[in-house]
Structure formats: structure tokens, C-alpha cells
């Protein structure tokens, strides 16, 4: 991935202050994940430096959105479940770091419109199609609700596999274990042209994406990268 492109290309639609705040947070997060979880990043060069991009990743913990995005020298927006935006003013913070509230279990047309707007400006959007955190760390079935976004986005789609995060913060635990010995991995796949992905319909597209996410996750777990 080339990071020499102008910042306006890599962080489209972000005012200067918001962009610099975003970059500062990503730097802090990289150091945090490296310090406590020996984080490893695989195949980062496969991620386009600019232009519309829809990223699809598996979902293990609340760490997932920042962990997927903080390594990229480009701005990303994150679809996050609506309930996270309510308590203790957390919504203001989440929106400041490009989170888009998403109603779980249904096709949220407002969130989809916001995501499409980001993509139309050349931005990147990260989605977690399982819809909720995995109870055991395995990749659950993808929800059909993302099919509409896949069909309307008409941009490259890039699968991502993450591993190790569930060991530090399993579902049901109120806070992460900073000294669990867990090792975090993120493995970026190859972007897929939308026509190729959807040529056999949206159901087939979801199956293909899930299979690729599983393969990327297993690759790091089996020491293939």
C-alpha cells in the first residue's frame, strides 16, 4: 500500500482537525495492540491506498473495528450496532472516529445511505456481516442484510480475517484481559470486483465472502503467513 498519496485522497471528506485526530487515535491503537497483544499485520499491501472500498471482516470483540482499521494509512468508516451509541455519551466519540450506527437484524436504509455516501466520495467502509460478536471465536453465518449494500455499492470488496481477539475479550466478559497472552492477527485479502462477486447473485456472494474470511483467519492460525 502506498502512503505517499495526498491526505485528501486517503481521508476523503474529513476536515483537517478530524483527520488529524483520527490519525492520532490510530497511532495510539497500533502501539496499544503491539504492546499488550503482540499484534501482527499480514498482507497490508493488498489494501488499496485510496478509492471506494468495502471491507468485510469477522467479528470477535469490541476491539474489532479499530483493530481492522488502525493499520491503514487511509481513513475508514465503520458500521457499528446502534445500541453502542447510547450510554455515557459514547455516541459522540464513536461518530468522531467515523462510526455509523446500524440497526441490527434488519436492513437499515439510513445506515446504508450513509455508507454509500462515504463510498461515493472515495472512502472505505468496514462491515462485520455476522451482525454480532462470535460466541466462540468461529465465523458465524453472514446476515442477509448486507446484500443490499453489496448490490448498490458497486465498488471493490475486500475480505479480512482476524484471529486471537476472542481469547482476550470473550463475549460476556465486561472488559478485556490485558495480560491474557493472546496474540492478535489481522490478515487482509485481495479485493474482489463487484461484478465478479455478484455474478451468481447475492446469496452466493455472501457464501464466497464468508469462505474467504474463514480462509484468511485459518491461514494465520495455521502459520501460513
Amino acid at each position: 500500500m502506498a502512503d505517499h498519496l495526498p491526505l485528501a485522497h486517503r481521508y476523503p471528506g474529513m476536515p483537517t482537525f478530524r483527520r488529524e485526530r483520527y490519525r492520532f487515535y490510530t497511532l495510539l491503537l497500533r502501539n496499544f495492540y503491539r504492546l499488550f497483544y503482540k499484534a501482527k499485520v499480514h498482507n497490508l499491501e493488498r489494501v488499496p491506498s485510496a478509492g471506494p472500498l468495502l471491507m468485510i471482516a469477522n467479528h470477535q470483540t469490541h476491539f474489532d473495528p479499530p483493530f481492522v482499521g488502525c493499520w491503514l494509512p487511509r481513513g475508514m468508516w465503520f458500521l457499528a450496532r446502534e445500541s453502542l451509541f447510547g450510554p455515557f455519551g459514547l455516541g459522540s466519540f464513536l461518530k468522531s472516529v467515523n462510526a455509523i450506527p446500524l440497526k441490527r437484524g434488519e436492513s437499515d436504509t439510513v445506515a446504508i445511505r450513509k455508507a454509500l455516501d462515504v463510498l461515493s466520495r472515495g472512502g472505505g467502509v468496514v462491515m462485520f456481516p455476522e451482525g454480532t460478536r462470535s460466541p466462540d471465536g468461529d465465523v458465524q453465518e453472514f446476515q442477509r442484510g448486507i446484500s443490499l449494500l453489496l448490490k448498490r455499492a458497486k465498488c471493490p470488496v475486500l475480505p479480512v480475517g482476524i484471529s486471537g481477539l476472542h481469547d482476550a475479550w470473550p463475549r460476556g466478559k465486561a472488559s478485556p484481559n490485558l495480560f491474557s497472552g493472546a496474540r492478535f492477527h489481522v490478515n487482509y485479502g485481495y479485493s474482489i470486483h463487484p461484478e465478479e462477486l455478484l455474478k451468481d447473485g447475492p446469496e452466493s456472494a455472501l457464501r464466497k465472502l464468508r469462505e474467504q474470511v474463514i480462509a484468511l483467519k485459518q491461514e494465520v492460525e495455521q502459520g501460513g503467513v
Side-chain angles (χ1 to χ4, degrees):
M1 173 186 287
D3 58 3
H4 59 272
L5 293 174
L7 291 176
H9 290 195
R10 293 189 280 123
Y11 299 86
M14 285 194 202
T16 301
F17 173 76
R18 184 171 174 179
R19 181 187 70 210
E20 294 309 309
R21 179 176 56 188
Y22 181 97
R23 296 177 71 199
F24 175 70
Y25 285 152
T26 58
L27 179 61
L28 287 182
L29 286 165
R30 291 175 201 170
N31 290 326
F32 170 78
Y33 291 131
R34 285 173 175 146
L35 176 63
F36 289 101
Y37 300 112
K38 311 298 182 187
K40 297 290 184 183
V41 183
H42 307 275
N43 300 309
L44 183 61
E45 70 281 357
R46 294 175 178 172
V47 183
S49 301
L53 181 70
L54 185 58
M55 236 179 223
I56 301 294
N58 57 309
H59 199 7
Q60 297 192 337
T61 72
H62 292 310
F63 276 149
D64 301 350
F67 185 65
V68 169
C70 73
W71 313 101
L72 309 176
R74 62 173 292 169
M76 300 297 289
W77 280 254
F78 307 87
L79 287 167
R81 79 170 190 265
E82 188 178 45
S83 60
L84 293 175
F85 289 73
F88 314 114
L90 186 58
S92 297
F93 170 75
L94 289 173
K95 289 177 182 178
S96 77
V97 291
N98 297 346
I100 300 171
L102 175 70
K103 294 177 182 177
R104 194 168 71 184
E106 55 187 288
S107 183
D108 186 341
T109 55
V110 174
I112 289 174
R113 283 200 300 269
K114 289 181 179 178
L116 289 171
D117 180 63
V118 169
L119 294 168
S120 71
R121 290 185 275 112
V125 174
V126 180
M127 285 192 70
F128 300 90
E130 291 164 271
T132 188
R133 290 163 292 155
S134 170
D136 55 11
D138 292 336
V139 182
Q140 308 302 297
E141 293 296 326
F142 283 5
Q143 300 296 308
R144 294 182 178 180
I146 73 160
S147 297
L148 178 59
L149 184 55
L150 286 176
K151 288 189 289 186
R152 295 183 61 185
K154 298 180 180 178
C155 71
V157 180
L158 191 146
V160 181
I162 57 175
S163 178
L165 286 75
H166 179 267
D167 297 333
W169 200 355
R171 185 172 172 176
K173 195 171 185 295
S175 60
N177 184 347
L178 300 180
F179 306 100
S180 65
R183 291 180 177 269
F184 288 7
H185 293 265
V186 56
N187 191 12
Y188 298 98
Y190 290 102
S191 56
I192 310 169
H193 193 278
E195 290 184 3
E196 172 63 24
L197 181 62
L198 291 163
K199 66 180 182 180
D200 296 318
E203 293 287 338
S204 175
L206 289 180
R207 286 195 300 271
K208 290 177 186 175
L209 286 171
R210 182 172 180 269
E211 289 169 0
Q212 293 209 22
V213 168
I214 291 173
L216 289 163
K217 176 177 177 288
Q218 291 177 341
E219 189 175 27
V220 295
E221 292 173 345
Q222 296 168 2
V225 291

